[in-house]
């Protein structure tokens, strides 16, 4: 099995440290190299890999620092190789990737960036969703169309319900407020908004959620068509 440690970095980003039973270790989206190296040292861990979901600097700026400290291999989206320095293992949906003795599926999820990928660990039921799927939200469309993002989210929606979702940012409260605004009569959303307010009042992370929770309370995942999704995304951009 693989364990996940949350590492809050920058303003509202989450990096993650994965440790597997076989001793392997990976750092996910190190937006702040100094902080990741500090936490690795504190836990006496040396990463074997870095995983990047997409090229934005709040996810990759610490690659160099972590790589220098750990002498590890960088895994990232093949189609963003020109925009992420020194990827050692470029991957796409066809890649046969393993970590900690488990299969890792690369899911191509264009929309936020054109080459964004998510990493899915079916055995440990973990999804690293980067800036594609947030708790009760989804990433902004910087490089893709609403159609692209809708299709990407549909791929994640049908993962097993008990898959834990680890995303790239703590945006959950603002996302929950928007979901409540968009679907005021949805009791699941109202209840989750209340819970999230409590969690954030205590300064705790709202991550991970599960695919099941998201399919019930994330209006972007609940959208029935690309058109409905596009309209929600536009409303959220102006919310
Ligand atoms: Zn991003
Ligand atoms: Fe980001």
């Amino acid at each position: 099995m693989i364990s996940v440690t949350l590492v809050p970095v920058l303003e509202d980003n989450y990096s993650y440290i994965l440790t597997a039973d076989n001793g392997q270790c990976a750092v996910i989206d190190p937006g702040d190299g100094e902080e990741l190296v500090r936490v690795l040292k504190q836990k006496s861990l040396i990463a074997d890999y870095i995983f990047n979901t997409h090229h934005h600097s709040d996810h990759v700026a610490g690659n160099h620092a972590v790589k220098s400290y750990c002498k590890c291999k960088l895994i990232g989206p093949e189609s963003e190789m020109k925009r992420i320095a020194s990827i050692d293992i470029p991957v796409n949906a066809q890649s046969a990737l393993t970590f900690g003795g488990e299969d890792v599926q690369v899911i191509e999820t264009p929309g936020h960036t054109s080459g964004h990928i998510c990493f899915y660990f079916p055995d440990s039921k973990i999804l690293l969703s980067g800036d594609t799927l947030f708790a009760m939200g989804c990433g902004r469309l910087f490089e893709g169309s609403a159609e692209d993002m809708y299709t990407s989210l549909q791929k994640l929606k049908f993962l097993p319900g008990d898959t834990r979702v680890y995303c790239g940012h703590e945006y959950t409260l603002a996302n929950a407020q928007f979901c409540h605004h968009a679907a005021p009569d949805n009791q699941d959303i109202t209840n989750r908004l209340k819970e999230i307010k409590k969690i954030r009042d205590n300064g705790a992370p709202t991550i991970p959620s599960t695919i099941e929770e998201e399919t019930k309370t994330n209006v972007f995942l609940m959208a029935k068509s690309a058109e409905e999704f596009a309209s929600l995304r536009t409303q959220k951009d102006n919310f």
Side-chain angles (χ1 to χ4, degrees):
M1 289 301 280
I2 293 168
S3 317
V4 184
T5 304
L6 270 71
V7 184
V9 298
L10 310 175
E11 196 129 316
D12 51 31
N13 277 78
Y14 287 124
S15 298
Y16 299 100
I17 297 175
L18 306 192
T19 49
D21 287 346
N22 75 353
Q24 285 196 319
C25 173
V27 168
I28 316 306
D29 281 355
D32 179 339
E34 253 176 62
E35 177 61 7
L36 266 303
V37 169
R38 190 190 68 76
V39 176
L40 288 168
K41 278 185 184 163
Q42 186 190 53
K43 296 179 171 295
S44 309
L45 289 171
I46 299 287
D48 303 285
Y49 301 100
I50 299 169
F51 289 71
N52 283 165
T53 58
H54 65 295
H55 69 85
H56 287 158
S57 71
D58 59 317
H59 300 254
V60 306
N63 282 349
H64 182 70
V66 173
K67 238 182 148 175
S68 317
Y69 177 65
C70 299
K71 313 279 178 260
C72 55
K73 297 254 185 277
L74 173 58
I75 298 170
E78 179 178 46
S79 55
E80 295 190 356
M81 270 195 89
K82 292 202 180 91
R83 298 193 284 180
I84 300 175
S86 29
I87 290 185
D88 301 295
I89 306 175
V91 294
N92 59 38
Q94 277 72 49
S95 301
L97 190 63
T98 60
F99 171 77
E102 295 188 16
D103 286 337
V104 184
Q105 291 176 18
V106 175
I107 305 176
E108 292 175 10
T109 55
H112 179 67
T113 66
S114 59
H116 192 295
I117 55 176
C118 297
F119 297 97
Y120 171 51
F121 302 69
D123 295 337
S124 287
K125 299 178 188 272
I126 291 167
L127 176 70
L128 305 171
S129 64
D131 287 0
T132 294
L133 175 64
F134 294 127
M136 301 189 87
C138 74
R140 283 176 186 263
L141 305 178
F142 287 121
E143 297 173 14
S145 64
E147 181 94 49
D148 292 334
M149 188 59 129
Y150 176 74
T151 306
S152 294
L153 289 173
Q154 293 301 303
K155 296 181 188 174
L156 306 181
K157 181 175 178 172
F158 295 104
L159 296 176
D162 56 354
T163 305
R164 282 166 294 142
V165 181
Y166 294 89
C167 62
H169 291 266
E170 180 60 65
Y171 290 158
T172 316
L173 180 55
N175 288 342
Q177 282 160 340
F178 174 73
C179 285
H180 180 62
H181 164 81
D185 300 328
N186 183 312
Q187 199 54 47
D188 291 328
I189 292 177
T190 307
N191 293 343
R192 194 170 170 198
L193 171 59
K194 265 186 222 154
E195 259 171 58
I196 282 160
K197 274 184 184 155
K198 252 189 255 165
I199 296 172
R200 295 307 292 154
D201 282 347
N202 295 324
T206 60
I207 306 307
S209 63
T210 64
I211 289 290
E212 184 177 9
E213 278 180 284
E214 295 310 315
T215 53
K216 285 185 178 160
T217 59
N218 182 328
V219 294
F220 298 99
L221 268 198
M222 291 155 80
K224 298 265 185 306
S225 65
E227 293 68 36
E228 188 190 338
F229 171 80
S231 149
L232 285 164
R233 190 56 262 180
T234 307
Q235 288 174 55
K236 173 69 167 67
D237 288 343
N238 302 305
F239 184 64

